[in-house]
Every structure is written in C-alpha cells, then in structure tokens.
C-alpha cells in the first residue's frame, strides 16, 4: 500500500512541544540524505547533551501535562499504524517515560513483547515504574543488540538522531525481522518539527523526510520499502517494510 495524505493546516499544540525533542541516538555520519550538518557536536557530545536535557526534564515527561488530550487521538493513530497483535515484538526507540505504551496495548499489543530503548536514565526510571511488564534498556540504538523485532518505532525522535541513515541501516540489517515494519512518526507534524529545529538545532538535527527526501533515504537503505506516508499539517507517520533477505 502506497499513499500520501495531505490535509489543510491546523495549529500544532504548544503544550506538547517538549515531547518532540526526545530521545536521541548516536551514529557515525553518512553521505546523502540526513548527512551530518556542517555545525554539529561530536557524537559523544550530542548524546551527553540529550541525556542531560531529558534527565533534567523527566519529571515533566512523567506528568499528565506532557500529553495534552488533543494529542491522544494522534498517538492512538500512530499505534494503530503499527498493526499490532498480541505476539508482535516491538522496539520503541526513544521510549522516554513510555508515552506510547498504553496506546500500543490499546491497539492489540502485549506489553511483555515490548522493549524500550533510551539514553536517559531518568526517563527510563519512570518507564520501568509505570510499565513493569515491558523491558527497558539504557542504550544507543545504533549499538543495541536484540530481536529480531516485528516493529521498530521512532516516535517524536527521528529528527534527533545523529545520523538517521546509519540508524536505519542498523535497524534493517540487525534488528528487524523479514516483513517487519519501521514506523517513523510525529504527532505534531513535519512543519512543526522544522520550526523546533530552527529554535534548537543542537537538539533537533534533521527534518522529517518528505516525499523527495524519502526517495534519497530509501536509495541508501534498500532493505526497506515504502508502505505508506501520511504527511499532514499536524501529523506525520511513515511506515517502511523490511524486504525478504
């Protein structure tokens, strides 16, 4: 299934702003789409900065105000896009305090089949307390070993990756099962994230890929193929499928 949905612009929710700057991972720079920007921390500096920011803000992310009610239907929609069943194994990259886990469960997933990975010990402390059935690991996804997983989800964190292409290659080659899905999402949309990147380019390094950028990205990660892209003014969801080995 290939589809691109475009809807009229609606104002994004400022209250949800901090969630988009979540949970980055480390990688080495690659060429082509999302190559390393001209001005950038080193990988270790990048990870240290993000770890520090989210450790300090973990209390907020664990609070009810971190997810406004108007965002909930979009998170439900993201979880539904994962096409979960009770036996589906899932890696939640940049899991934070586990914001998506209730929606994964609501959509048919089993928390015992979910692994969350994040750089922030503070965020993971809340996630473990809230969802003891799931497994949580403090790690950089580029060095993470496990799986294979049926789903790998990047919600509100893909723009924070040091090198998105290197991460996708690792996921496709090492972490994702044949026929498995990669879900890259943001509940406030691509344009909103671009605005945040302009305000804090040290935290958000990259835009989410539009149609043309997506072609460049997939040319560098041939193991993945487009299932569908929903690129709306206040919602973004890209689903890629692992081709048979």
């Amino acid at each position: 299934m290939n589809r691109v949905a475009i809807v009229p612009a609606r104002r994004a929710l400022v209250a949800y702003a901090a969630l988009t700057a979540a949970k980055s991972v480390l990688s080495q720079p690659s060429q082509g789409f999302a190559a390393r920007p001209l001005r950038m921390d080193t990988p270790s500096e990048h990870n240290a900065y993000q770890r520090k920011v989210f450790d300090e803000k973990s209390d907020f992310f664990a609070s009810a105000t971190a997810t406004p009610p108007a965002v909930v239907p979009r998170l439900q929609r993201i979880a539904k896009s994962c096409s979960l069943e009770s036996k589906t194994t899932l890696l939640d990259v940049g899991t934070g305090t586990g914001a998506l886990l209730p929606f994964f469960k609501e959509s048919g997933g089993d928390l015992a089949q979910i692994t969350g990975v994040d750089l922030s010990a503070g965020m993971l402390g809340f996630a473990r307390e809230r969802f003891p059935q799931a497994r949580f690991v403090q790690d950089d996804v580029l060095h993470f070993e496990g799986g294979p997983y049926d789903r790998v989800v990047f919600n509100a964190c893909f723009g924070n990756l040091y090198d998105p292409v290197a991460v996708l290659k690792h996921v496709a080659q090492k972490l994702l099962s044949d026929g498995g899905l990669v879900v890259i999402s943001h509940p406030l949309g691509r344009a909103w994230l671009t605005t945040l990147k302009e305000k804090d380019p040290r935290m958000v390094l990259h835009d989410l890929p539009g149609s043309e950028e997506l072609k460049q990205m997939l040319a560098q990660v041939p193991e993945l193929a487009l299932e569908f892209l929903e690129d709306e003014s206040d919602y973004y969801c890209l689903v890629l499928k692992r081709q048979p080995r």
Side-chain angles (χ1 to χ4, degrees):
M1 176 172 61
N2 295 310
R3 53 194 173 101
V4 177
I6 306 295
V7 300
R10 298 194 297 270
R11 190 175 74 176
L13 297 168
V14 175
Y16 195 69
L19 277 179
T20 196
K23 322 127 186 171
S24 117
V25 294
L26 163 67
S27 73
Q28 296 300 316
S30 65
Q31 300 300 315
F33 170 79
R36 181 179 176 181
L38 295 177
R39 184 175 181 275
M40 169 78 63
D41 288 335
T42 65
S44 60
E45 290 170 341
H46 176 68
N47 271 11
Y49 175 69
Q50 302 228 353
R51 187 182 299 112
K52 178 179 182 293
V53 168
F54 291 103
D55 280 348
E56 292 175 350
K57 294 184 177 181
S58 59
D59 286 341
F60 165 75
F61 286 113
S63 71
T65 57
T67 306
V71 172
V72 169
R74 304 175 202 177
L75 298 178
Q76 291 172 325
R77 186 177 168 188
I78 290 167
K80 186 176 180 181
S81 295
C82 296
S83 303
L84 301 178
E85 299 178 354
S86 61
K87 295 184 179 180
T88 304
T89 56
L90 184 148
L91 179 65
D92 186 23
V93 179
T95 191
T97 61
L100 268 182
L101 268 66
F103 304 103
F104 291 146
K105 182 178 180 181
E106 181 182 280
S107 295
D110 181 352
L111 294 182
Q113 300 290 339
I114 295 175
T115 299
V117 61
D118 201 287
L119 288 173
S120 169
M123 301 279 271
L124 289 175
F126 285 107
R128 292 186 178 106
E129 183 178 321
R130 295 171 65 190
F131 306 105
Q133 310 97 313
R135 174 177 176 249
F136 297 98
V137 180
Q138 184 182 7
D139 203 357
D140 164 15
V141 70
L142 189 65
H143 303 306
F144 179 79
E145 297 181 359
Y149 294 93
D150 301 316
R151 308 286 184 267
V152 178
V153 180
F154 298 84
N155 180 58
C157 67
F158 197 72
N160 298 62
L161 304 181
Y162 192 83
D163 187 335
V165 170
V167 170
L168 285 180
K169 286 179 179 179
H170 176 66
V171 167
Q173 295 169 7
K174 303 292 184 181
L175 300 180
L176 193 62
S177 61
D178 283 1
L181 301 179
V182 173
V183 178
I184 299 168
S185 58
H186 199 295
L188 294 182
R190 184 159 58 99
W192 190 91
L193 184 63
T194 297
T195 300
L196 184 63
K197 179 170 71 75
E198 293 170 355
K199 293 179 179 178
D200 190 355
R202 191 179 183 195
M203 177 63 70
V204 181
L205 307 182
H206 309 281
D207 296 321
L208 291 167
S211 297
E212 290 304 313
E213 295 87 358
L214 179 58
K215 291 177 183 178
Q216 297 177 41
M217 185 175 74
L218 292 180
Q220 297 173 79
V221 192
E223 297 90 347
L224 298 175
L226 176 65
E227 280 287 285
F228 65 85
L229 169 63
E230 295 172 313
D231 187 2
E232 304 170 7
S233 63
D234 58 1
Y235 178 85
Y236 181 95
C237 187
L238 168 63
V239 178
L240 308 172
K241 187 173 185 178
R242 178 60 165 91
Q243 300 304 291
R245 287 173 171 80

